[in-house]
Amino acid sequence: MDEALFGIWVDGEPCRTLAAADRGLMYGDGIFRTMVMRGGRIVAWPRHYRRLAEDCGRLAIVPPPLAILERDLAAVAAQGKDCVVKIVVTRGVGGRGYRPPAAPRPTRLVVAAPLPEYPAAYGEAGVRLHLCTLRLAAQPRLAGVKHLNRLENVLARMEWSDPDIPEGLLRDTEERVIEGTMSNLFMRRGRRLITPDLSRCGVAGVQRERILELAPRLGLRVEVGSFAVDELLAAEEVFVCNSVIGLWPVRSLEARQWPKAEVVPELRALLESSDV
Amino acid sequence: MDEALFGIWVDGEPCRTLAAADRGLMYGDGIFRTMVMRGGRIVAWPRHYRRLAEDCGRLAIVPPPLAILERDLAAVAAQGKDCVVKIVVTRGVGGRGYRPPAAPRPTRLVVAAPLPEYPAAYGEAGVRLHLCTLRLAAQPRLAGVKHLNRLENVLARMEWSDPDIPEGLLRDTEERVIEGTMSNLFMRRGRRLITPDLSRCGVAGVQRERILELAPRLGLRVEVGSFAVDELLAAEEVFVCNSVIGLWPVRSLEARQWPKAEVVPELRALLESSDV
């Protein structure tokens, strides 16, 4: 998000800086969500807000009230541009060392940036994945939460620089496939759609949740489970997803090629036609 | 560090704010060190700087040159007050998502705060430790590094609120004792001084390193190893350490009491008389 930003709001005010003593900086003590705004509305906003509030709850941070965030989003919408919106909520300033203050005042940050321009081929022919060597650590207390401790993702993303590879595949220390560095992942076997269990590590994105909910309308059986790379390579179709990229078929991983996305196009159409 | 701060400097300028888009905030993409300044000098500064540079290296961040940081510290010293100094180095602003920019410009933050006033009894009779339920996740790529992803420490510190318990004991998922939430730990058995191996998780502090180096002068044999809580409870003496607290004997953990610190007083005297 270093490109020409459309704006940053801190606690509702246009502002490009934050208190240096904020716990978000000092400890990564906060959460975030990344969303798309189209025509002045955040796609799947009620679900994003629910997940934001749940993630705050996992860290015992009081989430900003819905009405407050909607006022912030109205300021973004007033710019009249479709954009990526990132909301960050931190526990705010203060406390003695790691111990939070008795009555924290959370900080909220809203960042609006241009929609990224990915090659159209990523959504059609699909993407190549890098198989990351970094393994995600298992921390059930933080698993699933979109929190600000993202050094694993940064280190994983630094593993490759080939501009034709937009995403990397992350495993945990037990060799289970977990997610992409910035996306969730699904594999298809016949009419079964399987996505990794995220109870030990990984980030449970809103797009993954929408797919789990909507895919049965296409006659797909959805499952959350554990599987290794070998099983992934044996799948008939693989794709990654997040709220910004939508769905990207995976066209290759290591020596395996998947020539054609089969359910991705209809699943994408379903997701785009729904505001669930 | 919410108490009356003596000052914050960002990239050498007095400043209390930071770019909201800094990767330190967005991802915890950076490192820090906490030190004590007495009489205008940082205790064990050459070692702190070396460890700061090493930790930057682990994240592939170019560390600020020694001369630049020493100029920052001169500004702190000019205030003429003994204080705690925290240096934070982040990868700076920018990049596309998790991927760092091609030529990052690291941000450096120097925060000076009053020395904390702990009860004298902590250093003499010693402290009670809370046994944390949170288990540290194993991530060898980040183990030992004093990085900004500190949510585990925050969650662990939130487990207790008894004001008479200043520190908590952290284990990993394999039941190994690792460290305190803000300190390293040693146990003594006869003339053997043993501190946990930090190659899978934990933060390797400068005070721990100094003890490993200096304790042999007292006829103590130092070891880095793995042990469980049972073995800790069987030790003759236990203490925690960091650059701010110095050494605190542990006087109780669970039902175990340690009536008297034996080597802590002479070890403390040795550490205080040395600038190694």
Side-chain angles (χ1 to χ4, degrees):
Chain A
M1 289 202 162
D2 60 337
E3 315 94 305
L5 293 173
F6 290 157
I8 305 186
W9 292 258
V10 176
D11 292 338
E13 299 297 322
C15 179
R16 292 192 169 230
T17 62
L18 184 94
D22 195 281
R23 297 174 63 94
L25 172 70
M26 290 301 182
Y27 311 130
D29 193 3
I31 60 94
F32 70 103
R33 297 226 75 83
T34 307
M35 304 157 292
V36 167
M37 178 176 276
R38 284 192 205 281
R41 300 182 63 237
I42 297 287
V43 177
W45 169 242
R47 192 183 296 267
H48 276 290
Y49 180 74
R50 176 174 57 70
R51 288 299 319 285
L52 180 150
E54 286 171 1
D55 282 356
C56 282
R58 291 279 296 280
L59 304 186
I61 292 173
V62 177
L66 180 62
I68 297 283
L69 281 179
E70 291 187 341
R71 201 168 60 197
D72 292 351
L73 292 172
V76 179
Q79 307 207 349
K81 293 173 187 153
D82 290 350
C83 55
V84 173
V85 177
K86 182 169 177 172
I87 298 179
V88 177
V89 179
T90 81
R91 205 184 305 272
V93 172
R96 178 157 189 163
Y98 294 121
R99 188 178 186 188
R105 287 184 33 191
T107 302
R108 65 184 200 281
L109 192 71
V110 176
V111 182
L115 290 166
E117 293 181 8
Y118 294 111
Y122 287 178
E124 294 155 16
V127 297
R128 273 178 68 197
L129 294 189
H130 165 81
L131 183 59
C132 295
T133 59
L134 179 138
R135 307 308 167 96
L136 294 170
Q139 178 49 271
R141 289 287 302 277
L142 294 171
V145 178
K146 214 169 175 82
H147 56 68
L148 297 175
N149 280 200
R150 300 261 70 100
L151 269 173
E152 288 185 320
N153 306 67
V154 172
L155 292 178
R157 186 60 189 80
M158 288 169 75
E159 287 187 19
W160 80 97
S161 54
D162 182 338
D164 291 332
I165 303 183
E167 181 57 308
L169 180 67
L170 283 162
R171 292 164 286 176
D172 70 7
T173 51
E174 312 290 321
E175 299 300 319
R176 287 180 278 250
V177 168
I178 303 295
E179 62 188 358
T181 66
M182 61 166 185
S183 62
N184 289 119
L185 176 138
F186 284 80
M187 69 173 184
R188 183 180 61 78
R189 296 187 143 186
R191 299 308 288 172
R192 293 165 62 209
L193 208 51
I194 311 161
T195 192
D197 172 41
L198 303 178
S199 59
R200 294 163 37 93
C201 52
V203 175
V206 154
Q207 191 77 327
R208 171 180 180 271
E209 200 179 272
R210 296 179 73 211
I211 292 166
L212 287 172
E213 198 169 311
L214 293 172
R217 296 192 196 171
L218 301 178
L220 293 160
R221 274 182 298 133
V222 294
E223 298 171 29
V224 175
S226 292
F227 52 88
V229 170
D230 279 357
E231 294 165 89
L232 184 69
L233 297 176
E236 291 160 51
E237 182 172 4
V238 175
F239 60 88
V240 293
C241 63
N242 73 30
S243 295
V244 177
I245 68 175
L247 300 182
W248 284 346
V250 174
R251 74 175 162 82
S252 72
L253 171 66
E254 304 280 277
R256 171 72 153 111
Q257 309 271 335
W258 285 272
K260 190 171 177 302
E262 293 188 26
V263 305
V264 161
E266 49 177 343
L267 193 52
R268 180 185 291 129
L270 180 62
L271 289 163
E272 287 177 359
S273 69
S274 167
D275 199 36
V276 167
Chain B
M1 289 204 161
D2 59 337
E3 316 93 305
L5 293 174
F6 289 157
I8 305 186
W9 291 259
V10 176
D11 292 337
E13 298 297 323
C15 179
R16 293 193 166 232
T17 62
L18 184 93
D22 195 281
R23 297 174 64 93
L25 172 71
M26 290 301 181
Y27 311 130
D29 193 3
I31 60 94
F32 71 104
R33 299 225 74 84
T34 307
M35 304 157 292
V36 167
M37 179 175 275
R38 284 191 205 283
R41 300 182 61 237
I42 297 287
V43 177
W45 169 242
R47 192 184 296 268
H48 276 290
Y49 180 74
R50 177 174 56 70
R51 288 298 320 283
L52 179 150
E54 286 171 2
D55 282 356
C56 282
R58 290 279 297 279
L59 304 185
I61 292 173
V62 177
L66 180 62
I68 297 284
L69 282 179
E70 291 187 340
R71 201 168 60 197
D72 292 351
L73 293 173
V76 179
Q79 306 206 349
K81 292 172 186 152
D82 289 349
C83 55
V84 172
V85 177
K86 183 169 178 173
I87 297 178
V88 177
V89 179
T90 81
R91 204 183 306 272
V93 172
R96 176 152 191 167
Y98 294 121
R99 187 176 187 189
R105 287 185 33 191
T107 302
R108 65 186 200 280
L109 192 71
V110 175
V111 183
L115 290 166
E117 293 181 8
Y118 294 112
Y122 288 177
E124 295 155 15
V127 297
R128 274 177 68 195
L129 294 189
H130 166 81
L131 183 60
C132 295
T133 59
L134 179 136
R135 307 308 166 95
L136 294 170
Q139 178 48 271
R141 289 287 302 278
L142 294 171
V145 178
K146 216 170 174 81
H147 55 68
L148 297 174
N149 278 200
R150 301 262 67 102
L151 269 173
E152 289 185 320
N153 306 66
V154 171
L155 292 178
R157 187 59 191 81
M158 289 169 74
E159 287 187 19
W160 81 96
S161 53
D162 183 338
D164 291 331
I165 302 182
E167 182 55 309
L169 180 66
L170 283 163
R171 291 163 287 175
D172 70 6
T173 50
E174 312 291 322
E175 297 301 318
R176 287 180 278 250
V177 169
I178 303 296
E179 61 187 0
T181 66
M182 62 166 183
S183 63
N184 289 118
L185 175 137
F186 284 80
M187 70 172 182
R188 183 180 62 78
R189 296 188 144 185
R191 300 306 289 173
R192 292 165 60 207
L193 207 53
I194 311 160
T195 192
D197 172 42
L198 303 179
S199 60
R200 294 162 36 93
C201 52
V203 174
V206 154
Q207 192 76 327
R208 171 180 180 271
E209 200 180 271
R210 297 180 73 211
I211 292 166
L212 288 172
E213 197 168 313
L214 293 171
R217 297 192 194 171
L218 302 177
L220 293 160
R221 272 183 297 133
V222 295
E223 298 171 28
V224 175
S226 291
F227 52 88
V229 169
D230 280 356
E231 294 164 87
L232 184 69
L233 297 175
E236 291 159 50
E237 183 171 2
V238 174
F239 60 88
V240 293
C241 63
N242 73 29
S243 295
V244 177
I245 68 176
L247 300 181
W248 284 347
V250 174
R251 72 175 164 81
S252 71
L253 171 66
E254 304 281 275
R256 171 70 153 116
Q257 309 270 333
W258 286 271
K260 192 174 176 301
E262 293 187 25
V263 306
V264 161
E266 48 177 344
L267 193 53
R268 181 185 292 129
L270 179 62
L271 289 163
E272 288 178 357
S273 69
S274 167
D275 198 35
V276 167

